[in-house]
Amino acid sequence: MSDRITIVVVEEDRERAIAIVDALQASGPYEVHVIGNASSLARRIAALAPDVVLIDVDNPTRDMLEELTLASGPMERPVAMFVSSAAGNLAREAVEAGLSAYVVDGMKPERVKPVLDAAIARFQMVRQMRRELAETRRALEERKVIDRAKGLLMKARGIEEEAAYALLRKAAMDQGRRVAEVAEALVTASGLLS
């Protein structure tokens, strides 16, 4: 995130919105936008493209969570929701929807900064874990393709696994490509020929 963080605060109560904006501006270099009602929330948040979304609602609904999921792109930015009271399974659904923080007992100005910091930290941690998971999945898929290609070479040429891998590696170096790309091409070509 950049030095100046853009925050959207969704708060229907004007007095509370002013207190929250004041608390945020006193605690950091934030550009704060307030959305006074939840109608067309998805469109309005998307138009502002904030770094962080803070939402204060008395009783969130499933519809609001769904719209929030669309609006805020939880995979793209930290989202913290402040609610007045525990709302059954909605806390779990909110976290599953991608919220970085779900805080019961409303948004109080003195708590906004610590919750904001925690939401950003949690978001960054989850984003890093997602990146690592995607990279691991990609590596596993590549490993499967390479193993299939080695198997094809071993069968077609009657060679050992090490020799098959050496052929793949040499072809990759000769073509300026990655071993996984050469293996994918071999597996695809083999599929067309059988």
Side-chain angles (χ1 to χ4, degrees), residues 18-41:
I18 290 170
I20 291 163
V21 170
D22 289 345
L24 284 169
Q25 290 179 336
S27 63
Y30 304 124
E31 179 181 333
V32 183
H33 301 274
V34 177
I35 296 177
N37 62 54
S39 67
S40 302
L41 186 61

Side-chain angles (χ1 to χ4, degrees), residues 170-183:
K170 182 176 180 341
M173 289 184 347
D174 291 347
Q175 297 173 24
R177 297 168 65 190
R178 296 177 40 243
V179 172
E181 292 170 355
V182 172

Side-chain angles (χ1 to χ4, degrees), residues 4-184:
R4 187 165 176 86
I5 296 174
T6 302
I7 300 172
V8 165
V9 175
V10 179
E11 174 59 73
E12 293 182 353
D13 182 275
R14 181 171 160 66
E15 296 302 316
R16 259 194 340 211
I18 290 170
I20 291 163
V21 170
D22 289 345
L24 284 169
Q25 290 179 336
S27 63
Y30 304 124
E31 179 181 333
V32 183
H33 301 274
V34 177
I35 296 177
N37 62 54
S39 67
S40 302
L41 186 61
R43 183 179 50 77
R44 293 167 76 191
I45 290 175
L48 293 168
D51 297 309
V52 181
V53 177
L54 302 176
I55 299 177
D56 186 25
V57 293
D58 288 329
N59 297 304
T61 64
R62 283 183 177 79
D63 290 341
M64 180 179 224
L65 286 178
E66 287 175 18
E67 187 164 357
L68 176 61
T69 300
L70 294 172
S72 61
M75 305 306 175
E76 299 172 17
R77 69 181 56 91
V79 179
M81 181 178 280
F82 297 80
V83 298
S84 296
S85 60
N89 279 344
L90 281 181
R92 182 173 153 213
E93 291 175 24
V95 171
E96 288 173 356
L99 267 63
S100 302
Y102 185 86
V103 182
V104 177
D105 199 19
M107 188 185 315
K108 295 181 174 127
E110 65 275 6
R111 291 182 5 187
V112 171
K113 175 71 167 118
V115 170
L116 174 68
D117 292 342
I120 291 170
R122 182 177 185 275
F123 170 78
Q124 290 172 340
M125 178 188 71
V126 169
R127 183 173 54 184
Q128 179 63 29
M129 288 182 349
R130 282 194 176 109
R131 258 192 227 124
E132 290 171 3
L133 178 60
E135 179 62 28
T136 300
R137 284 182 176 157
R138 186 191 61 75
L140 285 172
E141 288 304 314
E142 286 181 355
R143 186 81 244 151
K144 286 179 189 177
V145 170
I146 291 169
D147 286 344
R148 286 182 62 200
K150 285 190 306 187
L152 291 169
L153 288 171
M154 290 165 58
K155 183 177 179 184
R157 296 223 174 160
I159 57 177
E160 296 293 318
E161 183 176 358
E162 296 80 24
Y165 185 75
L167 275 174
L168 286 172
R169 190 175 63 237
K170 182 176 180 341
M173 289 184 347
D174 291 347
Q175 297 173 24
R177 297 168 65 190
R178 296 177 40 243
V179 172
E181 292 170 355
V182 172
E184 179 70 39

